[in-house]
Amino acid sequence: MSFERLEFDTHRILAGLKPWVECESPTYDAAAVDRMMDLATYDLVAAGASIERIPGRMGFGGSVRATFPHKDAGKPGILISGHLDTVHPIGTLEVLPWRITEGKCYGPGIMDMKSGNYLAIEALRQMALAGIETPLPVTILFTPDEEVGTPSTRDLIESEARKNKYVLVPEPASADGGAVTGRYAIARFNLKAQGKPSHASWALEDGRSAIGAMAKKILEIEAMTTEDCTFSVGVVHGGQWVNCVSSLCEAEVLSMAKRQADLDAGVERMLALSGEEGEVVFEVTRGVTRPVWEPGEGTLRMYELARDISKEIGFDLTHGSAGGGSDGNFTGAMGIPTLDSIGARGRGLHTLDEHIFIDSLVERAQLMAGLLTRLT
């Protein structure tokens, strides 16, 4: 088959991937993300793509849209959708440096999802070198803000997806190495407690602590978790002076549900927490939301094709719905056939143990190439 003619080489892939991983690109550092977009742009052009740089907005970095030469350019084809931002702040390389040991390769963002994105480019590069043309035109869109819910580029992703027949998302593989054919709904919330300041020693009783009120609300919110809808407080900021009763405390909440109705009910419960108690005003505002993506016939047909290809490569590709959002939530919920989590296998994403399994690099590059050559 076509992908078997391609000369994928693990050492060459690692050499190309290393600069990507060592270019730290946390979401909230627009300049850092743009530097990562520069690296990706170079490799895309080297693979034969034409590039459009899209300026960032809302304080985030920009995006890159790459199109590859094709006789049917402009007609509906395949969109490869990926993000180049990570959760790791600048300086993470000092404690999580690029290193290779015992069949694993470590580094910030290597699993989520720089390796998968790089493999997509490598697949197209090797196909061009081998003179293999895809049946459908291919577009790659790299965006800068997935790790915070894609607030600035959701409409860009959806607009690009509408122009295409299929969407491939090279997010990291599931724990068992499988693909994702559906995702749960996710909502984010911003919390604000406003209290009354006072001196924390000689006038303690005159103050109303925003931090104290927030602490009680956090326990209340996380106790709302059920099997159908979960609530997790992941960010808290409060106070400025230890000798002053805090007048402001802010937090962020992530909620996930398997069904849209469960998420909608959870949203109502969260918004109902707004109010005033004990002279502390508590406010809940809704942030970005990812809709439930339930697999349709088109997605399941894509999966069956991917599974056939995986068996030819030498492994069996499983599938299922998953928690944890991705931009596949958007395209899948639109009804566009979407296959997610076809990137590298690994462990520890979003942690200081993030790594990929090196033996998955050629495997997943072949899988991507196989899909690109057989989707019609």
Side-chain angles (χ1 to χ4, degrees), residues 10 13 103-105 110-111 115-116 119 172-173 177 313 315 342-347 355-368:
T10 298
I13 291 172
K104 302 172 185 177
C105 186
I110 191 169
M111 182 181 177
S115 58
L119 289 173
I313 296 170
F315 70 100
I342 52 173
R345 293 181 282 108
R347 292 287 186 274
H355 61 272
I356 57 171
F357 300 130
I358 293 173
D359 64 2
S360 72
L361 291 173
V362 170
E363 165 194 299
R364 296 294 159 142
Q366 289 177 327
L367 176 60
M368 175 65 74

Side-chain angles (χ1 to χ4, degrees), residues 89-112:
I90 297 292
T92 301
L93 277 170
E94 295 179 11
V95 291
L96 180 58
W98 169 278
R99 72 184 192 278
I100 296 172
T101 179
E102 297 180 349
K104 302 172 185 177
C105 186
Y106 293 78
I110 191 169
M111 182 181 177
D112 187 13

Side-chain angles (χ1 to χ4, degrees), residues 18-295:
K18 183 179 181 181
W20 283 42
V21 175
E22 292 188 333
C23 182
E24 296 178 291
S25 52
T27 311
Y28 288 119
D29 190 330
V33 175
D34 283 339
R35 289 193 294 270
M36 183 61 241
M37 293 289 172
D38 291 342
L39 281 180
T41 295
Y42 183 92
D43 287 333
L44 285 161
V45 171
S50 297
I51 299 297
E52 181 181 359
R53 294 295 291 263
I54 303 166
R57 64 191 187 106
M58 298 169 62
F60 295 101
S63 300
V64 174
R65 177 164 44 207
T67 54
F68 290 81
H70 198 277
K71 65 181 184 298
D72 293 326
K75 294 184 179 180
I78 301 169
L79 172 63
I80 299 174
S81 178
H83 67 89
L84 290 177
D85 60 313
T86 79
V87 301
H88 300 284
I90 297 292
T92 301
L93 277 170
E94 295 179 11
V95 291
L96 180 58
W98 169 278
R99 72 184 192 278
I100 296 172
T101 179
E102 297 180 349
K104 302 172 185 177
C105 186
Y106 293 78
I110 191 169
M111 182 181 177
D112 187 13
M113 59 179 294
K114 291 185 177 182
S115 58
N117 290 332
Y118 185 84
L119 289 173
I121 298 175
E122 179 66 7
L124 285 158
R125 190 176 78 88
Q126 289 299 327
M127 290 166 66
L129 290 173
I132 299 172
E133 184 175 65
T134 58
L136 297 173
V138 177
T139 299
I140 291 181
L141 180 64
F142 289 148
T143 51
D145 58 346
E146 191 270 351
E147 294 295 1
V148 294
T150 320
S152 75
T153 57
R154 174 177 178 174
D155 54 350
L156 179 64
I157 293 167
E158 292 178 338
S159 175
E160 200 63 40
R162 289 188 186 97
K163 303 174 188 176
N164 289 279
K165 294 180 66 175
Y166 307 102
V167 177
L168 299 176
V169 185
E171 288 273 7
S174 297
D176 66 350
V180 166
T181 51
R183 287 191 181 272
Y184 305 157
I186 291 179
R188 295 172 183 244
F189 302 90
N190 297 308
L191 314 180
K192 180 187 291 186
Q194 294 178 289
K196 179 182 176 182
S198 70
H199 196 285
S201 57
W202 61 265
L204 178 62
E205 68 279 1
D206 293 337
R208 299 294 182 268
S209 172
I211 292 176
M214 180 66 75
K216 293 177 182 178
K217 286 294 184 182
I218 288 173
L219 295 176
E220 181 180 347
I221 289 167
E222 296 203 336
M224 289 162 45
T225 292
T226 67
E227 291 186 0
D228 297 319
C229 189
T230 63
F231 298 87
S232 175
V233 180
V235 177
V236 180
H237 298 288
Q240 187 174 13
W241 307 100
V242 72
N243 59 350
C244 183
V245 173
S246 60
S247 58
L248 179 65
C249 187
E250 296 176 310
E252 296 177 36
V253 177
L254 186 74
S255 179
M256 182 180 69
K258 298 177 182 179
R259 295 175 293 273
Q260 191 66 46
D262 294 326
L263 189 74
D264 292 343
V267 169
E268 289 185 13
R269 294 184 68 185
M270 283 294 301
L271 296 179
L273 295 175
S274 293
E276 182 175 351
E277 183 178 350
E279 298 184 75
V280 177
V281 176
F282 193 75
E283 179 183 357
V284 181
T285 56
R286 186 173 178 177
V288 293
T289 302
R290 294 189 187 275
V292 166
W293 162 31
E294 296 181 354

